[in-house]
């Protein structure tokens, strides 16, 4: 008997559909657009409903095309199971509502994606206490923990100021206390980092960003890494305990989160994301090297003030980022020197597009205070260290010289 060698990241994604059995010889998983799934024997339909057999019954709970993507994301993250959603926010919101109860506490990084902060505000209004801490130091997380803490939620690299969470030490803390550790891996993607390696129980990915990569489909996912002991989690309903304990959490997320809230990933979008994922590892190399080259260039420019990028030796978590991720991601931000209007500057860029997305193959830039952080107001922005002139850049895969040339002429 031959022992199967583990395949590399890209090989395993490229051949994932074929491993599951090619339909009609198609090398991509076909688009399954049916809303309902019929069975010749009604007993088989009942068996799928009751979880005694695998299968599909109604499109809101998933379809074979998104199921094939779930397998790929599980492989990318080295997990045991994944549920896909229509968007990243759909994934986070559904998982929170499926797992948390009134009176529970969540300890979260204070440097989170803006819409996640807003969502956590909604949770607070429903009786789930959310405590925000500076998660660049695990000691701050530790001092916020109480007997009611059910979950710690962090991102890998924060957007837009690029703080790196103290991921390894927070993981040790959570596992010692039996607390569910949730890591949003969107900024790094599984090509740079697997949160399982620092003890995360659940991993969030906004598939919209690097995994899809082409800015042509929205999607989100929750992956169970298999590390969390769900028998320690008090909020699992009795009827989701029929399978082995490692499946309890993801089962409840699929039923209470996906089925009941209905943020289903459509087959067409699952297909676009699966095609994009084939080149994730290749694209990340170029994206990260472009970000580093631009951050270096801007650091030395007299019209540029502070530059925030974990790849710079001056970044407070530079060595942490290097040891965790190897490369440092495709997001950096910088402040313009006083007297330069950020809108005038952005309008002078010829290649770089003013846009709010990130993780696209194209380089995108956005004036943070005036757009994605506008709603929270000037005082909150100041508290988060967001200067009014701050510009966030998401580097794509263009030729590096073209990008540097574009910034040079726009600053000239
Ligand atoms: C974009 C993003 C999300 C939300 O993803 P959508 O697909 O836009 O809903 C969540 N977390 C992070 C870190 C993101 O960058």
């Amino acid at each position: 008997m031959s022992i199967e060698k583990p395949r590399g990241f890209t090989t395993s994604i490229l051949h994932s559909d074929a491993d599951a059995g090619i339909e009609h010889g198609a090398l991509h998983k076909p688009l399954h657009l049916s809303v309902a799934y019929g069975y010749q024997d009604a007993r088989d339909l009942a068996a799928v409903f009751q979880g005694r057999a695998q299968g599909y019954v109604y499109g809101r709970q998933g379809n074979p095309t998104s199921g094939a993507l779930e397998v790929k994301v599980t492989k990318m993250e080295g997990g045991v199971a994944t549920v896909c959603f229509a968007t990243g926010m759909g994934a986070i919101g559904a998982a929170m509502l499926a797992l948390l109860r009134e009176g529970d506490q969540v300890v979260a990084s204070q440097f989170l994606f803006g819409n996640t902060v807003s969502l956590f505000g909604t949770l607070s209004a429903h009786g789930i206490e959310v405590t925000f801490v500076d998660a660049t130091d695990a000691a701050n997380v530790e001092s916020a923990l109480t007997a009611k803490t059910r979950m710690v939620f962090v991102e890998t690299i924060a957007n837009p100021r690029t703080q790196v969470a103290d991921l390894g030490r927070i993981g040790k803390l959570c596992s010692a206390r039996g607390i569910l550790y949730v890591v949003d891996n969107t900024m790094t993607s599984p090509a740079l980092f697997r949160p399982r390696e620092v003890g995360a129980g659940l991993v969030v990915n906004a598939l919209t960003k690097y995994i899809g990569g082409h800015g042509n489909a929205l999607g989100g996912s929750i992956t169970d890494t298999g590390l969390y002991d769900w028998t320690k989690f008090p909020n699992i309903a009795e009827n989701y305990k029929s399978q082995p304990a490692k499946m309890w959490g993801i089962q409840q997320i699929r039923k209470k989160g996906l089925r009941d809230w209905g943020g289903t990933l459509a087959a067409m979008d699952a297909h676009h994301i699966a095609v994009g994922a084939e080149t994730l590892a290749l694209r990340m190399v170029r994206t990260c090297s472009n970000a580093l080259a631009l951050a270096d260039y801007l650091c030395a420019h007299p019209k540029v003030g502070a530059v925030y990028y974990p790849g710079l030796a001056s970044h407070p978590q530079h060595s942490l980022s290097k040891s965790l991720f190897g490369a440092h991601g495709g997001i950096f931000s910088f402040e313009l020197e006083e007297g330069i209007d950020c809108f005038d500057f952005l309008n002078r860029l010829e290649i770089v597009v003013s846009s709010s997305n990130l993780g696209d193959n194209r380089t995108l830039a956005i004036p943070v205070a005036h757009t994605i952080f506008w709603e929270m107001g000037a005082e909150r922005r100041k508290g988060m260290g967001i200067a009014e002139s701050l510009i966030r850049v998401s580097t794509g895969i263009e030729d590096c010289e073209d990008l540097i040339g574009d910034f040079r002429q726009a600053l000239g």
Side-chain angles (χ1 to χ4, degrees):
M1 229 171 72
S2 72
I3 295 168
E4 206 187 313
K5 263 174 80 181
R7 290 175 171 178
F9 187 87
T10 297
T11 312
S12 92
I13 298 163
L14 282 169
H15 295 279
S16 171
D17 293 337
D19 289 347
I22 295 174
E23 292 172 46
H24 314 295
L27 293 186
H28 287 278
K29 185 72 180 177
L31 293 182
H32 286 273
L33 301 174
S34 191
V35 168
Y37 297 80
Y39 290 82
Q40 280 183 330
D41 185 340
R43 288 186 196 88
D44 293 338
L45 176 65
V48 174
F49 259 93
Q50 293 168 18
R52 291 184 283 110
Q54 290 260 321
Y56 294 90
V57 289
Y58 185 68
R60 187 175 358 93
Q61 300 171 50
N63 60 74
T65 314
S66 68
L69 178 62
E70 288 173 352
V71 170
K72 289 183 185 123
V73 177
T74 301
K75 285 180 179 172
M76 288 190 253
E77 289 291 359
V80 295
T82 296
V83 181
C84 282
F85 293 86
T87 64
M89 287 316 303
I92 298 170
M96 297 299 124
L97 289 160
L99 295 176
L100 298 169
R101 301 282 175 271
E102 188 178 4
D104 289 346
Q105 184 210 16
V106 177
V107 175
S109 164
Q110 70 191 34
F111 310 116
L112 289 179
F113 180 64
N115 296 160
T116 306
V117 175
S118 173
L119 170 74
F120 283 180
T122 306
L123 293 182
S124 302
H126 289 277
I128 295 160
E129 190 188 326
V130 185
T131 310
F132 291 103
V133 298
D134 179 349
T136 60
D137 184 349
N140 298 325
V141 174
E142 182 163 25
S143 49
L145 299 178
T146 69
K148 297 182 299 178
T149 311
R150 291 279 162 269
M151 179 189 291
V152 171
F153 188 104
V154 300
E155 293 174 6
T156 52
I157 303 176
N159 156 24
R161 280 282 311 272
T162 73
Q163 297 93 339
V164 178
D166 196 357
L167 292 160
R169 288 169 61 210
I170 297 171
K172 290 202 179 95
L173 187 63
C174 288
S175 82
R177 307 280 186 99
I179 294 168
L180 178 61
Y181 184 23
V182 183
V183 176
D184 184 334
N185 196 26
T186 301
M187 284 299 144
T188 27
S189 92
L192 294 188
F193 179 62
R194 281 179 167 178
R196 187 181 198 283
E197 281 159 26
V198 292
L202 294 178
V203 182
V204 176
N205 277 292
L207 305 171
T208 314
K209 311 291 173 55
Y210 294 105
I211 293 180
H214 295 66
N216 60 347
L218 292 152
S221 64
I222 305 286
T223 300
D224 192 316
T225 63
L227 293 181
Y228 184 70
D229 178 3
W230 290 101
T231 63
K232 291 192 183 128
F233 200 76
N235 300 344
I236 300 292
E238 280 308 315
N239 50 333
Y240 299 133
K241 292 182 178 173
S242 59
Q243 293 182 21
K246 70 171 189 223
M247 301 306 289
W248 291 1
I250 205 77
Q251 173 84 339
Q252 184 154 312
I253 290 169
R254 186 177 291 283
K255 301 289 184 184
K256 290 284 173 188
L258 177 64
R259 183 195 65 191
D260 295 0
W261 288 89
T264 312
L265 180 65
M268 180 65 95
D269 294 318
H271 169 73
H272 284 310
I273 292 162
V275 172
E278 295 184 352
T279 55
L280 171 63
L282 284 74
R283 289 185 281 105
M284 283 313 275
V285 172
R286 179 79 157 238
T287 296
C288 295
S289 69
N290 277 348
L292 181 60
L294 277 175
D296 272 338
Y297 173 77
L298 291 172
C299 266
H301 200 290
K303 291 187 181 163
V304 172
V307 180
Y308 305 100
Y309 183 59
L312 298 172
S314 58
H315 190 283
Q317 290 95 38
H318 173 64
S319 54
L320 178 65
S321 172
K322 196 165 185 179
S323 68
L324 287 169
F325 317 133
H328 307 275
I331 299 290
F332 69 87
S333 57
F334 67 98
E335 293 161 17
L336 289 164
E337 283 299 342
E338 232 164 279
I340 306 175
D341 183 272
C342 66
F343 293 102
D344 289 344
F345 165 74
L346 288 167
N347 291 344
R348 279 195 295 272
L349 288 165
E350 289 167 3
I351 296 170
V352 178
V353 186
S354 291
S355 172
S356 73
N357 192 18
L358 59 90
D360 194 297
N361 278 336
R362 295 151 194 82
T363 300
L364 311 174
I366 190 161
V368 175
H370 307 277
T371 56
I372 49 178
F373 281 62
W374 178 252
E375 192 179 296
M376 64 180 60
E379 201 173 313
R380 185 100 190 269
R381 281 198 293 277
K382 207 166 169 206
M384 296 179 82
I386 307 289
E388 298 299 294
S389 77
L390 191 75
I391 291 174
R392 182 192 77 196
V393 178
S394 166
T395 52
I397 59 170
E398 295 95 336
D399 300 281
C400 191
E401 300 68 38
D402 291 334
L403 291 176
I404 289 179
D406 200 23
F407 278 88
R408 184 187 295 122
Q409 65 80 20
L411 285 165

